[in-house]
Amino acid sequence: MIKTKPGQKLIITIVKKEKAKRVIHASTLAGAQGGTTFFGKGFRMDEKKRFLGIPVEREREVILTLVSDSIYARVMNAITKAVKLNRPRHGIGFVIDTKNVSGINHLIGLGLESMQNESKEGMPLKKQSLSYDLIVTIVNKGDAEKVVDASREAGAEGGTIITGRGTGIHEKAKLFNILIEPEKEAVLTLIVKKKCNQVLKAIEQGARLDEPGRGIAFVLNVEETVGINHILNNQMKDDMKE
């Protein structure tokens, strides 16, 4: 089992097709050693799935960038500027603390405390009113839509379906140190913590994960997010109604 180096953070950036090169270029100039890109399909809660009877698919690219604590704020800032994550509909980015991680068995999130202070690299990290989890669901090819439908009905704002880039029939890709064979699909669902359990339960039922061979789902703690202000605004409106 491969262990990651202490003091590492995983930046996950989800952008429109053809924007991954900008993310990689910006992160490299900021000190990152590179990244891994996956193809994906995005969905939002308020969008139509078909137009004139034709399925509508929003192509996305997902970039995984592993960097040290000492430069992650600088790299995150560079990515945000390069692909304009601070503007609506330009994509999202979020950070997972990989400190003391062995595979995916133990993930220690630094929590909101780390967002209250300005980083050493000079990038102010704003305190957020909401905290998030990332639900990762890996299923057989063709079952990702079941995960999407179930999570949407349970209150998820959106998500991304990904497959490995450039994997052949005899090759295997890895996500969070888990082998993903070409016939598998992974769904990334960023969800407000208080909704996580209900969405996870809905995914389990909708994709029948309790049956052998159907797939797996697990939850990772998210430390920081960029590009999801609309979710915060919607949540504030819902809280006011309550």
Side-chain angles (χ1 to χ4, degrees):
M1 187 175 293
I2 300 175
K3 294 185 177 182
T4 59
K5 296 180 180 180
Q8 299 277 308
K9 294 187 186 296
L10 180 67
I11 300 174
I12 302 179
T13 313
I14 302 175
V15 292
K16 296 178 181 179
K17 187 179 179 182
E18 306 298 340
K19 295 291 182 68
K21 292 181 179 179
R22 296 186 188 179
V23 173
I24 297 293
H25 181 67
S27 62
T28 301
L29 290 179
Q33 297 300 309
T36 302
T37 303
F38 292 88
F39 284 129
K41 295 185 294 181
F43 69 92
R44 293 197 303 268
M45 185 175 67
D46 58 349
E47 71 180 359
K48 295 182 179 179
K49 297 177 65 175
R50 290 178 177 272
F51 178 72
L52 299 178
I54 301 174
V56 176
E57 294 185 353
R58 299 181 181 275
E59 294 181 303
R60 296 288 185 264
E61 291 179 319
V62 182
I63 306 93
L64 309 184
T65 310
L66 192 65
V67 297
S68 65
D69 282 348
S70 61
I71 68 168
Y72 104 88
R74 183 170 71 235
V75 174
M76 191 73 199
N77 192 32
I79 292 173
T80 300
K81 290 182 178 179
V83 290
K84 300 180 176 61
L85 292 183
N86 53 343
R87 297 184 182 180
R89 309 301 187 190
H90 278 69
I92 63 173
F94 50 96
V95 179
I96 295 175
D97 182 19
T98 62
K99 190 176 297 181
N100 297 328
V101 171
S102 178
I104 59 165
N105 294 327
H106 300 87
L107 183 65
I108 303 177
L110 296 182
L112 293 178
E113 292 83 2
S114 62
M115 299 178 196
Q116 297 177 7
N117 301 318
E118 185 168 302
S119 76
K120 295 180 181 179
E121 298 297 329
M123 174 181 148
L125 301 179
K126 296 181 180 179
K127 181 179 178 181
Q128 295 170 289
S129 58
L130 295 177
S131 53
Y132 292 83
D133 284 326
L134 177 68
I135 301 176
V136 181
T137 311
I138 300 175
V139 292
N140 296 322
K141 185 176 181 180
D143 285 346
E145 293 297 335
K146 297 177 182 178
V147 176
V148 169
D149 292 342
S151 61
R152 181 187 284 119
E153 291 175 4
E157 293 286 338
T160 305
I161 303 170
I162 66 173
T163 55
R165 165 179 283 178
T167 55
I169 191 170
H170 298 299
E171 297 175 310
K172 298 179 180 180
K174 281 189 176 182
L175 176 64
F176 300 114
N177 210 35
I178 294 179
L179 288 176
I180 303 177
E181 298 179 357
E183 65 271 15
K184 302 290 184 182
E185 293 176 318
V187 184
L188 307 183
T189 308
L190 191 65
I191 189 73
V192 177
K193 280 186 180 294
K194 69 178 185 179
K195 291 185 178 181
C196 183
N197 287 339
Q198 70 186 52
V199 172
L200 185 62
K201 185 65 177 178
I203 290 174
E204 179 184 356
Q205 295 175 348
R208 295 157 58 188
L209 298 183
D210 54 340
E211 299 179 10
R214 303 295 300 191
I216 62 172
F218 54 91
V219 179
L220 299 176
N221 181 65
V222 173
E223 179 180 330
E224 178 195 351
T225 58
V226 178
I228 55 174
N229 290 333
H230 65 286
I231 298 180
L232 296 173
N233 293 335
N234 290 339
Q235 186 64 42
M236 290 177 63
K237 291 178 182 178
D238 291 341
D239 291 341
M240 292 177 64
K241 291 179 181 179
E242 295 177 359

